[in-house]
Amino acid sequence: MDQLKIWDFGIIDFIDVFLVAILLYYVYKLVKGTVAINIFIGIIIIYFIWKLTIFLKMGLLSSIFSGFMDVGIIALIVVFQPEIRKFLLMVGSTNFGNKRRFLRHLIFLKTEGQIQTDVDVIISACQKMASTKTGALIVLERNNNLDFLTSSGDAMNIAVTQPIIESIFFKNSPLHDGAIVIADNIVKATRVILPVSSDRNIPQRFGLRHRAAVGITEKTDALAIAVSEETGQISYIKNGEFVMFKDNAELIAMIKKDLT
């Protein structure tokens, strides 16, 4: 009779497994592409080894792994502090107040009909601005809703086009200061004030614009593209770090991959 209990799988058990799967999926999404992904995979492996030692009644090994799991919670909070902050931001995001955004959080794969940000147009505009050394800061929204930032700037609701982006950052334009936030190929806001990173490892040649790009990608899962006003160099920032690329084609491919 005890063996039959294994198959006694009710609706509550299904919901339990489903919620755990969603939790693990979003944890993976937060650490994907970062150094933390290796730590995350290592923790999963250790957890299953721990459960295996308990199942096989290996007392000594199971007690060692059990002690590691108990004490390791504090270490995990320290190691994953940026990812935990991003996760809590996503949970408390105002995205859940919007039905379409809410459904987007619940599905594992984006629907084919969902509007995709035109990365080619954005990079083409950045290349044009780089040639004239026009400073620019573009933030691409992903899972974390950035409405808490857009309220600091001027609300917009206009489709992304190359002339629009270039006109916003034109030196004599009243909108060129600050950053623009783009989501689903729509410019949500201009003149947005971003949090500035205090990381001392950022090279001194990078100014406030690049520090702001690092700051927003440290605190959220957003992507940032900065065009230097001094050198005309285009920089791509993700997870608080500068991402190197060979040419615009590689940059476009990386951004498209990161937005999926």
Side-chain angles (χ1 to χ4, degrees):
M1 294 295 294
D2 292 338
Q3 293 180 349
L4 294 178
K5 291 182 179 180
I6 297 176
W7 305 104
D8 188 12
F9 194 79
I11 185 65
I12 299 300
D13 299 302
F14 174 79
I15 294 174
D16 185 25
V17 173
F18 179 71
L19 293 177
V20 170
I22 291 178
L23 177 63
L24 290 176
Y25 170 74
Y26 280 111
V27 169
Y28 173 75
K29 288 275 288 184
L30 288 174
V31 301
K32 183 180 69 173
T34 69
V35 177
I37 184 61
N38 297 325
I39 303 175
F40 175 72
I41 294 174
I43 291 171
I44 296 297
I45 293 173
I46 291 176
Y47 176 80
F48 280 110
I49 293 176
W50 174 46
K51 288 298 183 181
L52 180 62
T53 57
I54 294 176
F55 177 77
L56 297 176
K57 297 181 180 180
M58 303 171 70
L60 183 58
L61 274 178
S62 62
S63 62
I64 292 174
F65 280 112
S66 179
F68 174 81
M69 297 299 292
D70 292 339
V71 179
I73 296 297
I74 299 176
L76 289 180
I77 295 175
V78 176
V79 172
F80 287 103
Q81 188 267 342
E83 285 73 23
I84 293 173
R85 180 170 54 192
K86 290 180 183 179
F87 177 76
L88 294 176
L89 180 61
M90 182 184 67
V91 172
S93 170
T94 54
N95 273 14
F96 291 98
N98 183 293
K99 182 178 179 181
R100 181 172 65 86
R101 293 272 181 180
F102 177 72
L103 292 175
R104 178 181 171 185
H105 273 79
L106 289 182
I107 58 176
F108 284 88
L109 296 175
K110 297 183 178 179
T111 59
E112 293 182 0
Q114 184 179 349
I115 299 173
Q116 299 294 321
T117 298
D118 196 337
V119 179
D120 297 81
V121 165
I122 294 173
I123 299 305
S124 180
C126 289
Q127 183 61 41
K128 184 69 176 296
M129 292 185 291
S131 64
T132 59
K133 293 186 178 181
T134 301
L137 180 52
I138 301 171
V139 177
L140 304 178
E141 182 179 290
R142 293 204 286 178
N143 292 316
N144 297 158
N145 185 273
L146 301 180
D147 285 349
F148 71 99
L149 286 174
T150 57
S151 60
S152 68
D154 297 328
M156 299 281 286
N157 187 25
I158 187 169
V160 170
T161 65
Q162 184 171 339
I164 286 295
I165 295 177
E166 291 179 17
S167 63
I168 289 174
F169 289 110
F170 181 64
K171 293 181 180 180
N172 293 328
S173 168
L175 302 177
H176 80 281
D177 285 331
I180 67 172
V181 175
I182 295 175
D184 296 333
N185 212 44
I186 296 294
V187 179
K188 294 177 64 174
T190 60
R191 297 206 305 172
V192 176
I193 300 174
L194 302 181
V196 178
S197 174
S198 58
D199 189 352
R200 296 181 180 273
N201 294 323
I202 300 176
Q204 292 185 352
R205 68 177 182 275
F206 294 121
L208 204 58
R209 180 178 290 109
H210 292 80
R211 286 189 171 274
V214 173
I216 186 60
T217 57
E218 283 178 336
K219 293 176 172 59
T220 71
D221 69 346
L223 308 174
I225 306 167
V227 180
S228 173
E229 195 170 6
E230 288 74 26
T231 65
Q233 179 182 359
I234 300 174
S235 299
Y236 177 44
I237 301 94
K238 179 179 72 170
N239 295 319
E241 298 179 353
F242 289 85
V243 181
M244 305 303 295
F245 55 92
K246 294 183 295 184
D247 49 35
N248 287 344
E250 184 180 15
L251 174 60
I252 291 171
M254 286 193 299
I255 296 176
K256 286 182 177 179
K257 180 179 179 182
D258 291 334
L259 285 175
T260 56

